[in-house]
């Protein structure tokens, strides 16, 4: 892909949690590092950003981080020139003065809405279609996705090679984990847990505690901690806490920088993830995983869950498919996990191979940043 000397504006409103900023920050860095683009990332909530990138100055209206010009998107909009490519992430509404600036350009910008990730089939038909117009400026739908014909997934150059090297290097893993205060108990499987509140957690922890295999569960600080506290019967869990119940060691980790979170996923034998960005990163980790999908009104998220399962479970034996599908559905319904976990464990080697095959299959598609650039090149 040729290097482009283009200016890009990416707009991000933080609706909640970390997915909105997680995705846009990752994309912005990649456009700069791999495509020579000049990127301004407009973010309305710099405090959420700070969790992923602690170097952020939450009071600065403008700053450069890893080559990206980070702009605080303040309520009081200060007029700026519009860029060559404008991305509104997750249907966020651009400032009206900025839309006027787009329309005033001699050549209007390429304006895209970067949508939420979904494995549903209809996404293929909608990806790249024109959406609304503002004056004469046309907006386009850009859909990430798993299927051919979508915009693909965010994946940095060389990511899989870096991941593989790390996973083949026990010393590097040990050093990384020790930096987080984790001393992996010998013979214990490592599991990371990043999830929303979940009524099914207690049954899963029961199953892990009574398992014949020891488990070391790593829980970054976040929304699931309340359920962990309840199960342990303790209050005020914070980073550094370690509690042992039979075969299960529970350890609370600090919320780490975004690039460190990859290393955590790569270090674990099994990753429970959520939302959008951590979900994709767990797929690049190529280890068996469990997804807590972001809940939406009228349960539309359940269609998305089924659409993903339909793709992901393909190629597994019928019993393995049933076991893993059962585990994912129970987790997302907050139901009892005991039997599902036990049946999933029976298919471990198959699930490990499958996670690697899925990762390679997904990596055979163009990554999302490259697909955006290609879309732009075809458009000009
Ligand atoms: O935080 P999420 O639940 O985010 C979102 C938002 O809720 C959003 O509104 C919704 O639409 C979307 O989910 C589907 O989950 P997600 O997407 O996985 O984002 C978490 C980010 O936090 C991801 O970039 C990884 C990062 N992270 C760290 O950097 N360090 C950590 O320690 C952890 C646990 C995560």
């Amino acid at each position: 892909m040729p290097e482009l000397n283009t200016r890009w504006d990416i707009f991000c409103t933080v609706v909640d949690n970390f997915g909105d900023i997680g995705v846009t920050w990752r994309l912005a860095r990649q456009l700069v590092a791999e495509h020579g683009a000049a990127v301004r990332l407009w973010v309305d909530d710099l405090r959420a950003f700070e969790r992923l990138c602690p170097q952020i100055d939450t009071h600065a209206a403008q700053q450069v981080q890893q080559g990206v010009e980070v702009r605080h998107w303040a309520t009081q909009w200060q007029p700026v020139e519009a860029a060559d490519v404008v991305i509104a992430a997750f249907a966020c509404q651009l400032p009206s003065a900025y839309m006027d600036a787009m329309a005033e350009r001699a050549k209007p910008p390429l304006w895209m809405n970067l949508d939420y990730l979904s494995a549903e089939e209809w996404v293929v038909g909608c990806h790249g279609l024109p959406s609304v117009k503002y004056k004469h400026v046309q907006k386009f739908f850009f859909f990430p996705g798993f299927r051919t014909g979508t915009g693909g997934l965010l994946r940095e150059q060389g990511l899989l090679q870096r991941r593989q090297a790390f996973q083949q290097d026990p010393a590097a893993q040990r050093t990384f984990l020790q930096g987080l205060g984790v001393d992996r108990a010998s013979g214990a499987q490592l599991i990371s847990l990043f999830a929303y509140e979940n009524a099914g957690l207690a049954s899963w922890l029961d199953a892990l505690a009574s398992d014949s295999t020891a488990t070391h569960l790593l829980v970054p600080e976040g929304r699931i901690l309340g359920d962990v506290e309840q199960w342990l019967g303790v209050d005020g869990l914070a980073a550094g806490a370690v509690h042992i119940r039979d075969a299960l060691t529970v350890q609370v980790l600090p919320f780490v920088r975004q690039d460190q979170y990859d290393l955590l996923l790569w270090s674990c034998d099994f990753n429970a993830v959520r939302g959008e960005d951590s979900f994709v990163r767990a797929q690049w980790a190529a280890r068996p995983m469990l997804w807590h999908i972001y809940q939406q009104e009228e349960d539309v998220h359940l269609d998305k869950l089924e659409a993903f399962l339909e793709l992901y479970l393909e190629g597994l034996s019928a019993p393995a498919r049933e076991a893993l599908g059962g585990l994912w559905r129970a987790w997302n319904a907050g139901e009892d996990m005991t039997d599902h976990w036990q049946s999933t464990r029976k298919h471990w080697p198959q699930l490990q191979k499958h996670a690697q095959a899925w990762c390679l299959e997904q990596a055979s598609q163009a990554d999302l940043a490259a697909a955006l650039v290609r879309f732009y090149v075809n458009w000009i």
Side-chain angles (χ1 to χ4, degrees), residues 13-23 26 51-53 90 116-117 193-194 196 219-221 223 253-262 264-265 273-281 291-294 296:
T13 49
V14 175
V15 178
D16 59 3
N17 306 323
F18 306 106
D20 312 292
I21 182 61
V23 167
R26 193 180 291 293
R51 299 294 303 278
L52 275 63
C53 173
F90 311 122
Y116 286 106
L117 173 63
L193 171 62
F194 182 45
Y196 309 111
V219 194
E221 281 181 312
R223 289 174 55 177
L253 301 185
F255 193 92
V256 294
R257 287 201 328 259
Q258 204 183 36
D259 50 340
Q260 298 248 305
Y261 183 59
D262 271 338
L264 177 65
L265 296 172
V273 288
R274 73 184 202 193
E276 184 160 322
D277 192 54
S278 59
F279 171 50
V280 172
R281 301 317 278 188
W291 182 29
H292 200 183
I293 191 169
Y294 183 75
Q296 289 178 288

Side-chain angles (χ1 to χ4, degrees), residues 153-290:
L153 302 172
L154 281 170
R155 173 173 41 83
E156 297 82 359
Q157 248 169 36
L159 179 75
L160 269 51
Q161 290 84 335
R162 286 197 298 282
R163 188 262 298 157
Q164 203 171 7
F166 183 82
Q167 287 180 337
Q168 286 169 352
D169 185 345
Q173 290 170 47
R174 223 175 13 253
T175 307
F176 166 70
L177 290 169
Q178 279 168 353
L180 292 176
V182 177
D183 241 325
R184 181 186 189 145
S186 79
Q189 59 177 350
L190 268 193
I191 299 186
S192 77
L193 171 62
F194 182 45
Y196 309 111
E197 297 78 4
N198 196 317
L201 181 71
S203 60
W204 187 23
L205 299 186
D206 282 339
L208 291 173
S210 59
D211 210 337
S212 52
T213 308
T215 297
H216 197 146
L217 182 74
L218 304 176
V219 194
E221 281 181 312
R223 289 174 55 177
I224 193 75
L225 275 196
D227 293 319
V228 178
E229 282 177 354
Q230 205 171 357
W231 185 77
L232 288 169
V234 299
D235 278 332
L237 273 186
V242 181
H243 292 267
I244 299 172
R245 298 284 183 277
D246 302 317
L248 174 63
T249 301
V250 177
Q251 179 161 3
V252 182
L253 301 185
F255 193 92
V256 294
R257 287 201 328 259
Q258 204 183 36
D259 50 340
Q260 298 248 305
Y261 183 59
D262 271 338
L263 300 185
L264 177 65
L265 296 172
W266 300 350
S267 304
C268 288
D269 303 295
F270 186 78
N271 292 301
V273 288
R274 73 184 202 193
E276 184 160 322
D277 192 54
S278 59
F279 171 50
V280 172
R281 301 317 278 188
Q283 293 169 57
W284 300 139
R287 296 269 160 88
M289 57 185 272
L290 174 63

